[in-house]
Amino acid sequence: MSGKPVATPFQPVAPGTNRWLLLGVVLQLGAQLAIVWWNRFLPMQDYPQHLFMSTVATTYDDASLGWARDYELRGAFGPYRALFLVQNALASMVGVEAAGKLLVSLY
């Protein structure tokens, strides 16, 4: 060891010294979120199916919809189980479509 300080790839930056980078990050994040929230349905292959499954799960007890006649809810673990649990919890507060967009935004 020669006693010289070792350079690390990420040096702390004093606040306010790189405002253009912060502005770029904020604008990029805003553009990406605008794509998610601008359209009613996202162009994703299984997104409508996820919304439908969440709708069935959150309105299963509504007799006027008759979901119990055609579908059964299963509590078993499987693909997307954690996603559906979070989406159903959010859907009961903000609606199914907003819950789906919130999850995509958080991803």
Side-chain angles (χ1 to χ4, degrees):
M1 290 292 203
S2 63
K4 294 181 182 178
V6 177
T8 60
F10 300 105
Q11 294 290 335
V13 178
T17 58
N18 208 345
R19 293 182 184 154
W20 290 110
L21 176 63
L22 179 62
L23 178 63
V25 168
V26 168
L27 289 175
Q28 181 67 29
L29 180 62
Q32 291 174 346
L33 290 176
I35 292 170
V36 172
W37 289 91
W38 188 268
N39 298 316
R40 182 171 181 195
F41 296 112
L42 300 174
M44 299 166 59
Q45 182 175 354
D46 55 353
Y47 185 70
Q49 179 184 3
H50 290 292
L51 291 182
F52 176 70
M53 292 172 70
S54 185
T55 300
V56 170
T58 55
T59 60
Y60 189 77
D61 295 329
D62 188 352
S64 66
L65 297 173
W67 297 131
R69 182 183 62 239
D70 299 319
Y71 300 97
E72 72 178 58
L73 294 180
R74 296 184 189 165
F77 291 101
Y80 300 113
R81 183 63 181 157
L83 171 86
F84 289 133
L85 288 174
V86 173
Q87 185 170 351
N88 293 344
L90 286 172
S92 65
M93 294 181 277
V94 297
V96 174
E97 289 182 36
K101 289 183 180 188
L102 278 171
L103 284 176
V104 171
S105 297
L106 291 173
Y107 180 72

